[in-house]
């Protein structure tokens, strides 16, 4: 949770070590969406009743398939859908097989993208968003800001590069 928070994700941890009062404060912040990511141990996550869970990330898989089903079931309450992602090492692949046997369906496998693949995708999405903004027009206020910077002696290409860096 601390690592996520330092990277700009509003995250807090929930563990069995927390006093009940602090646990309730964390849960209230999460329910009010002041916290976007809740990092919880299996013990702390048991019995949580939260309606708006869209994703469950499994950092490790439980040995008991029933615990796995209970854990990922947090995303599909009251007819809603969600996504469960599990990080699995080669030594843990046997657990996926046990879970698939228990749930009687297969779990889709994917590989984690490389840093380069992530960067290429982010750049493509950024170029698409900027291109869409340019086509829509309505950049009067932004154009005025750019003109102010150009009049102050800055190169338009450098201004655009600095703006993209900020995004």
């Amino acid at each position: 949770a601390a690592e996520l928070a330092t990277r700009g994700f509003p995250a807090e941890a929930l563990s069995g070590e927390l006093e009940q009062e602090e646990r309730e404060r964390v849960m209230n912040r999460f329910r009010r969406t002041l916290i976007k990511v809740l990092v919880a141990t299996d013990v702390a996550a048991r019995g949580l009743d939260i309606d708006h869970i869209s994703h469950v990330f499994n950092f490790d898989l439980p040995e008991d398939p029933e615990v796995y089903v209970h854990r990922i079931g947090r995303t599909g309450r009251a007819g809603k859908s969600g996504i469960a992602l599990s990080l699995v090492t080669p030594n843990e692949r046997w657990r996926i097989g046990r879970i698939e046997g228990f749930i009687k369906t297969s779990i889709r496998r994917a590989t984690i993208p490389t840093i380069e693949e992530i960067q290429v995708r982010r750049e493509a999405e950024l170029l698409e968003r900027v291109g869409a903004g340019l086509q829509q027009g309505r950049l009067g206020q932004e154009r005025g800001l750019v003109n102010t910077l150009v009049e102050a002696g800055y190169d338009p290409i450098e201004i655009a590069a600095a703006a993209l860096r900020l995004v």
Side-chain angles (χ1 to χ4, degrees):
E3 184 68 28
L4 288 168
T6 61
R7 294 176 184 261
F9 296 94
E12 288 192 38
L14 195 62
S15 73
E17 297 173 6
L18 291 179
E19 297 290 331
Q20 185 62 28
E21 189 175 301
E22 180 57 24
R23 178 183 167 97
E24 288 175 19
R25 279 197 293 268
V26 169
M27 289 307 303
N28 285 334
R29 286 191 294 271
F30 187 67
R31 284 188 183 101
R32 293 191 333 253
T33 65
L34 300 173
I35 302 169
K36 301 287 185 197
V37 179
L38 182 64
V39 178
T41 62
D42 273 346
V43 172
R46 281 199 184 102
L48 293 181
D49 187 21
I50 306 167
D51 292 333
H52 65 280
I53 301 285
S54 63
H55 291 72
V56 170
F57 291 86
N58 295 293
F59 183 72
D60 57 8
L61 293 177
E63 289 191 32
D64 182 355
E66 202 168 326
V67 171
Y68 174 84
V69 170
H70 177 72
R71 188 190 292 176
I72 68 164
R74 304 242 166 255
T75 64
R77 296 193 166 208
K80 296 179 182 173
S81 64
I83 296 172
L85 295 165
S86 300
L87 303 176
V88 181
T89 66
N91 292 338
E92 293 177 306
R93 287 187 186 143
W94 64 272
R95 290 185 183 168
I96 293 288
R98 284 189 62 208
I99 292 167
E100 287 175 327
F102 182 76
I103 63 175
K104 297 180 178 42
T105 190
S106 62
I107 296 173
R108 187 169 60 97
R109 277 104 168 132
T111 57
I112 296 174
T114 65
I115 292 171
E116 293 79 21
E117 290 169 332
I118 293 169
Q119 187 65 32
V120 165
R121 182 171 178 178
R122 284 182 178 166
E123 288 174 2
E125 288 173 356
L126 177 60
L127 289 173
E128 185 177 320
R129 286 177 31 217
V130 170
L134 289 169
Q135 285 185 345
Q136 287 177 351
R138 296 181 282 164
L139 299 171
Q141 183 179 0
E142 292 83 0
R143 186 174 281 117
L145 293 171
V146 170
N147 281 332
T148 300
L149 291 168
V150 169
E151 289 169 4
Y154 291 100
D155 177 56
I157 298 293
E158 293 297 314
I159 295 168
L164 288 174
R165 177 175 289 269
L166 292 174
V167 173

